[in-house]
């Protein structure tokens, strides 16, 4: 009399490689993975690709990164944070650094940044800058954002006051 | 069993009826979306497009604007310009379509708000433009106002929006 013990039957190596030893468990794992990825990339992290040179040398053209959407749930954006600012939606966003907070006055003299007439130290700037602009006053819900590459003329560099509701999140890496 | 089949058929007929209804009587949002897609298609031509093709595109482009339409453009490095009326828009479109090496226009993230009387609609969107064979795209936030005139939806106002003030 022969008795088959199915638990001892070794599956084919190809099956192990493709769907695992226990296909049901593999299916559950795949479902969980899809769910976790879906939730993560829909509500927590937003994958982005950098286009342009305005954040050089901190971030380079075509670099890939993620936006942390939950960064500002417990506190407001801080000076020095690199944030994403949405346009009409989230397909295209501006990636800039916050240098002035709501209520502050910002100006640029001889390439140096002044917040409320006091010089702002910016160690992340590597390129020379000769901007002469301002003063600009941020309203109660506005943050002044600018890129790190200030070697280009002031009027060609996209910068200015961003409303709080446009700030989607903070750059993760 | 008969009842289940009949109920199934009823649901199918209702679904088909609803689908046909949306085809024959589309919502204002759908109509505007289609017009925006058609507008983007009109404002798209490759570098090889000949003069007649470009002139036809320009003529078609003007057809999306009402006679009293206004376009306000304020772009970094280019300053601000206003184009009032269809004639001025026609002149600019003809010149632009004839001289630009090639153009690809896409409207992203369209937010459509229709007025209560269903006669006007406001759209905010991001416009992606690729000129010639450039690898990089240009992006600009824009606002369009559409108005229903004699059964046709036409743009009465188009303006660039400053994302950063």
């Amino acid at each position: 009399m022969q008795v088959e013990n199915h638990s001892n039957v070794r599956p084919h190596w190809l099956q192990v490689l493709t769907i695992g030893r226990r296909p049901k468990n593999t299916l559950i794992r795949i479902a969980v993975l899809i769910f976790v990825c879906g939730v993560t990339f829909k509500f927590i992290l937003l994958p982005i690709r950098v286009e342009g040179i305005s954040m050089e040398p901190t971030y380079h053209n075509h670099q890939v990164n993620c936006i942390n959407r939950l960064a500002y749930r417990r506190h407001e954006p801080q000076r020095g944070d690199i944030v994403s600012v949405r346009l009409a939606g989230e397909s295209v966003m501006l990636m800039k650094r916050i240098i002035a907070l709501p209520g502050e006055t910002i100006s640029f003299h001889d390439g140096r940044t002044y917040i409320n007439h006091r010089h702002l130290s910016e160690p992340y700037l590597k390129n020379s800058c000769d901007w002469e602009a301002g003063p600009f006053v941020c309203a109660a819900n506005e943050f002044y954002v600018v890129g790190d590459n200030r070697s280009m003329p002031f009027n060609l560099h996209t910068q200015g006051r961003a409303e709080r509701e446009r700030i989607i999140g903070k750059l993760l890496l | 069993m008969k009842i289940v089949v009949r109920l199934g058929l009823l649901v199918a007929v209702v679904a088909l009826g609803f689908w046909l209804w949306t085809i024959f009587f589309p919502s204002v949002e759908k109509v505007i979306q289609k017009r925006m897609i058609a507008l983007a298609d009109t404002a798209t031509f490759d570098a090889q497009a000949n003069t007649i093709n470009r002139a036809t595109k320009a003529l078609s482009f003007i057809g999306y604007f009402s006679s009293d339409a206004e376009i306000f453009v304020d772009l970094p490095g280019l300053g601000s310009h206003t184009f009032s009326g269809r004639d001025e828009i026609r002149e600019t479109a003809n010149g632009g379509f004839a001289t630009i090496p090639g153009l690809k226009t896409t409207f992203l993230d369209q937010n459509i708000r229709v007025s209560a009387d269903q006669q006007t609609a406001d759209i905010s969107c991001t416009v992606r433009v690729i000129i010639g064979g450039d690898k990089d795209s240009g992006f600009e936030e824009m606002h369009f106002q559409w108005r229903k005139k004699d059964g046709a939806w036409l743009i009465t106002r188009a303006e660039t929006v400053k994302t950063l003030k």
Side-chain angles (χ1 to χ4, degrees):
Chain A
M1 188 178 165
Q2 284 185 327
V3 178
E4 277 187 22
N5 185 352
H6 287 284
S7 61
N8 288 338
V9 176
R10 292 188 67 179
H12 191 266
W13 66 270
L14 195 62
Q15 183 195 329
V16 175
L17 199 70
T18 51
I19 55 171
R21 286 181 200 283
R22 297 178 187 84
K24 197 176 162 187
N25 287 2
T26 306
L27 210 65
I28 292 169
R29 282 192 200 110
I30 289 170
V32 169
L33 191 67
I34 289 171
F35 177 76
V36 169
C37 285
V39 168
T40 304
F41 291 113
K42 177 78 182 167
F43 300 107
I44 303 168
L45 296 177
L46 182 64
I48 57 155
R49 196 178 72 154
V50 180
E51 292 277 348
I53 56 164
S54 74
M55 280 303 288
E56 294 268 6
T58 315
Y59 292 100
H60 307 289
N61 196 14
H62 302 312
Q63 203 172 336
V64 175
N65 210 314
C66 274
I67 303 292
N68 178 7
R69 291 173 182 272
L70 305 181
Y72 300 125
R73 283 186 72 86
R74 286 168 183 258
H75 63 85
E76 286 297 292
Q78 307 291 307
R79 195 189 324 277
D81 286 357
I82 296 173
V83 296
S84 64
V85 181
R86 70 161 178 79
L87 274 71
E90 294 179 4
S91 297
V92 181
M93 290 179 284
L94 300 171
M95 191 174 86
K96 301 285 171 189
R97 189 186 291 276
I98 293 177
I99 57 169
L101 303 174
E104 291 182 336
T105 301
I106 178 170
S107 57
F108 300 96
H109 294 298
D110 200 20
R112 289 154 66 98
T113 308
Y114 293 85
I115 305 293
N116 294 337
H117 309 292
R118 295 176 68 175
H119 175 244
L120 174 70
S121 171
E122 296 182 279
Y124 40 81
L125 295 184
K126 306 292 180 204
N127 300 323
S128 61
C129 171
D130 58 355
W131 289 3
E132 284 288 341
F136 309 106
V137 181
C138 293
N141 66 333
E142 290 176 343
F143 295 81
Y144 200 96
V145 295
V146 62
D148 286 355
N149 182 4
R150 302 185 199 165
S151 59
M152 61 184 82
F154 180 80
N155 60 345
L156 292 182
H157 187 107
T158 307
Q159 36 65 46
R161 290 166 286 142
E163 290 162 352
R164 172 66 184 89
E165 54 117 13
R166 282 185 180 271
I167 297 174
I168 301 296
K170 184 180 175 181
L171 232 67
L172 191 68
L173 303 169
Chain B
M1 192 64 186
K2 255 184 178 177
I3 293 173
V4 174
V5 172
R6 281 177 184 172
L7 275 173
L9 273 172
L10 185 70
V11 169
V13 167
V14 169
L16 183 71
F18 178 73
W19 178 70
L20 285 173
W21 177 268
T22 57
I23 296 290
F24 289 113
F25 306 102
S27 64
V28 174
E29 284 89 346
K30 277 263 183 240
V31 173
I32 298 287
Q33 259 176 357
K34 279 189 177 174
R35 294 283 284 167
M36 290 292 282
I37 291 167
L39 178 65
D41 189 47
T42 305
T44 298
F45 53 89
D46 56 26
Q48 281 79 41
N50 59 33
T51 316
I52 296 168
N53 199 338
R54 286 165 185 257
T56 312
K57 286 265 183 187
L59 194 69
S60 175
F61 180 77
I62 297 151
Y64 285 90
F65 293 87
S66 66
S67 54
D68 60 343
E70 287 188 314
I71 302 177
F72 301 94
V73 181
D74 189 1
L75 297 169
L78 294 174
S80 60
H81 302 278
T82 304
F83 307 99
S84 302
R86 198 183 260 169
D87 291 337
E88 198 175 346
I89 295 168
R90 179 184 292 118
E91 208 173 293
T92 312
N94 282 335
F97 278 52
T99 52
I100 293 171
L103 186 65
K104 183 171 167 47
T105 310
T106 320
F107 297 115
L108 306 166
D109 298 324
Q110 295 177 31
N111 305 306
I112 304 173
R113 291 178 306 279
V114 181
S115 65
D117 62 359
Q118 308 260 304
Q119 295 301 304
T120 59
D122 286 282
I123 301 173
S124 63
C125 64
T126 303
V127 184
R128 180 173 65 188
V129 175
I130 301 171
I131 295 175
D134 278 4
K135 282 183 181 174
D136 295 324
S137 316
F139 295 98
E140 201 61 42
E141 191 175 345
M142 284 198 77
H143 170 254
F144 292 90
Q145 191 173 64
W146 291 75
R147 193 191 304 152
K148 200 173 185 179
K149 268 189 172 177
D150 304 324
W153 283 94
L154 298 171
I155 298 170
T156 55
R157 189 183 171 88
E159 60 188 333
T160 53
V161 175
K162 275 185 174 278
T163 307
L164 302 178
K165 296 175 189 168

